[in-house]
Amino acid sequence: MAEAFGDLFAREATAEAVRAAEAGCGFDPDLWRKLAAAGAPQMAVGVADGGGGASLVDLAVVVHEWGRRIAPVPLVEHAVCARLLSDAGNGEPIRELAASVISGDLIATMAPGPIEPDSTARLVPAGAVADVVAARRGDDIVVARSRPPGAARPNTADLPLADRDLSGAETVASGAAAASAWDRALAEWRALMAVAYAGLAGEVLAMGVAYTKQRHQFGVPVGSFQAVQHGLADAATRSEGARLLAFRAVSAVDAGRADGARLASMALLFGAESARFAADRVLQYHGGYGYSAEYDVQLYYRRAAGWLLQLGEPAAEVARLADADLGPKAA
């Protein structure tokens, strides 16, 4: 599966395709159609609901390849939202909506932040292209379908972030069960994005190794300098650790273990830190070229910085994890 989807992303999500998507709103509709035809967006939904019946770990294998190519499609957001709707939806209209999401005909996403008093969800991941937005309002899960704006808010990683009006959202689940389903979906998002970060880190590291082998200074390859070797070695050990922790988190969340949400947060934070370190080192080893739009490393550097920000302020995620482990901070 890794080979099949790796080939698909390598062929379709080239650096040129990523740049072309950036010129729009960070989305490649042709790639999305091909990915939906291959069954990736719905693969981790139950067979009875129209999905592929694969596990979350199976989906993570695909997400790792997606992260390697920083493919401009909302695979993680859609896949997690499809799983949420298949579990939480009730009533015939919502079941019909969920079926269109699971098939990939409609793009769906989650608004991880709170809904503001005017019913606006700010900076929704994939909000610029999603037909369906799910959000949490108190202990309710609400879902709104509307025409996507098709324009993104300016952001570091050129992601399709947009504000969405949820004033017409319909409640699809309520109470403690709904709150638990939402928390699980967020844990799935964190764990899968940690896997994507591991893919990004591994690919940008390979890019750096290749560049430092062929780039010469003072008559020798840049990669022969000990300081460069140390930086690449540090990036390699971090990225391998991040990959291990990310798949461990996905396994825990998939199994419904009590420590799944905690591992997902840890994996996301460490994965983001590891990917940013790798991208920073490789960009530095490109010299001035690293800051040039013509070189691909800046594409990875900006996404390493921007992916985590979709969840909100990273310090808040660190504080939330610390509170869960150690108890609330004393006044």
Side-chain angles (χ1 to χ4, degrees), residues 2-319:
E3 182 178 349
F5 281 99
D7 289 345
L8 175 76
F9 285 122
R11 183 175 63 252
E12 303 293 341
T14 61
E16 291 74 20
V18 173
R19 287 185 172 87
E22 287 187 341
C25 64
F27 174 64
D28 184 343
D30 289 335
L31 175 57
W32 177 257
R33 284 190 287 270
K34 291 173 182 176
L35 201 60
Q42 65 270 37
M43 64 180 291
V45 175
V47 174
D49 294 315
S55 70
L56 200 67
V57 178
D58 295 328
L59 175 61
V61 173
V62 179
V63 169
H64 188 266
E65 298 303 316
W66 173 80
R68 282 186 61 204
R69 302 299 176 180
I70 54 173
V73 288
L75 174 60
V76 173
E77 292 84 0
H78 180 93
V80 171
C81 193
R83 284 168 58 88
L84 176 68
L85 291 179
S86 68
D87 291 338
N90 55 46
E92 189 62 30
I94 293 301
R95 282 198 295 269
E96 292 177 2
L97 182 64
S100 296
V101 168
I102 292 167
S103 68
D105 293 336
L106 298 178
I107 298 175
T109 190
M110 296 171 57
I115 301 176
E116 297 193 353
D118 64 353
S119 296
T120 299
R122 302 289 182 192
L123 296 174
V124 177
V129 298
D131 305 283
V132 177
V133 179
R136 179 174 176 176
R137 180 183 283 140
D139 284 340
D140 297 340
I141 296 176
V142 299
V143 175
R145 178 180 177 181
S146 60
R147 185 183 182 91
R153 292 278 298 274
N155 63 91
T156 298
D158 280 319
L159 301 173
L161 297 171
D163 299 341
R164 295 298 293 265
D165 178 14
L166 303 183
S167 57
E170 179 179 348
T171 300
V172 298
S174 301
S180 177
W182 183 261
D183 290 342
R184 178 183 173 89
L186 281 182
E188 291 178 358
W189 186 90
R190 290 182 174 98
L192 290 172
M193 284 306 300
V195 172
Y197 262 127
L200 184 155
E203 188 66 19
V204 79
L205 178 62
M207 187 184 303
V209 170
Y211 183 81
T212 56
K213 283 181 177 179
Q214 60 92 18
R215 175 69 175 176
H216 282 64
Q217 287 289 346
F218 309 109
V220 297
V222 170
S224 66
F225 301 148
Q226 192 174 55
V228 172
Q229 293 173 357
H230 286 173
L232 293 174
D234 287 343
T237 53
R238 292 187 188 204
S239 64
E240 280 299 302
R243 185 169 67 91
L244 174 63
L245 181 57
F247 274 96
R248 183 179 178 186
V250 171
S251 298
V253 172
D254 199 22
R257 283 170 32 193
D259 62 343
R262 174 176 174 271
L263 285 172
S265 288
M266 293 171 61
L268 176 61
L269 291 168
F270 186 64
E273 178 184 315
S274 301
R276 289 194 66 175
F277 180 86
D280 177 76
R281 292 298 86 201
V282 172
L283 185 141
Q284 291 294 328
Y285 300 154
H286 274 67
Y289 290 142
Y291 296 89
S292 170
E294 288 78 14
Y295 280 74
D296 297 343
V297 63
Q298 53 85 20
L299 299 173
Y300 285 78
Y301 181 88
R302 291 189 287 111
R303 282 154 185 80
W307 279 353
L308 181 62
L309 299 178
Q310 295 179 100
L311 191 61
E313 169 57 51
E317 182 72 5
V318 174

